[in-house]
Amino acid sequence: MLETINLVLDNREKSEEILNALYSDYSEKVKNDMKLKDTDIYFSYVLFNGLLFELWGRNTTHELEHCRFDMLSNLTIH
C-alpha cells in the first residue's frame, strides 16, 4: 500500500504519513465497530492535495470463530 501511495505522490515521507493516518483511523473504527450504516464495511479516508485516499475493509462472518476476522480489502485513490 505504501508503494502505491508513493507512486502517486512521489514523496515517501508524506506517503507514510497518509498510510499511517488511514490505518490508524481504520483500526479505531474496527476496534469500536464503527461500520458504514447497514453494512459490515469499515471505511477511512484522507484528503490531501485534492486527492482522496480511501481504505476499505470488512468483518467476515463465519460459523467457526477462528474463521471470523477483520480484513483490509481496498486502497483507492481518487
Side-chain angles (χ1 to χ4, degrees), residues 12-76:
R12 184 84 175 184
E13 187 176 317
K14 192 62 183 174
S15 297
E16 289 175 356
E17 185 180 319
I18 288 172
L19 183 57
N20 287 339
L22 283 170
Y23 190 71
S24 176
D25 185 54
Y26 178 85
S27 296
E28 190 67 24
K29 289 178 178 176
V30 169
K31 177 181 170 186
N32 293 310
D33 200 33
M34 298 169 55
K35 300 174 192 157
L36 292 177
K37 187 176 180 175
D38 298 327
T39 70
D40 62 348
I41 297 172
Y42 299 103
F43 168 73
S44 64
Y45 70 93
V46 170
L47 185 59
F48 173 73
N49 229 15
L51 295 170
L52 181 63
F53 298 85
E54 302 171 336
L55 195 57
W56 296 82
R58 68 180 339 118
N59 184 353
T60 61
T61 56
H62 195 278
E63 62 188 48
L64 300 175
E65 185 177 344
H66 65 274
C67 293
R68 283 183 238 141
F69 56 92
D70 299 314
M71 65 178 203
L72 295 172
S73 59
N74 295 57
L75 167 69
T76 56

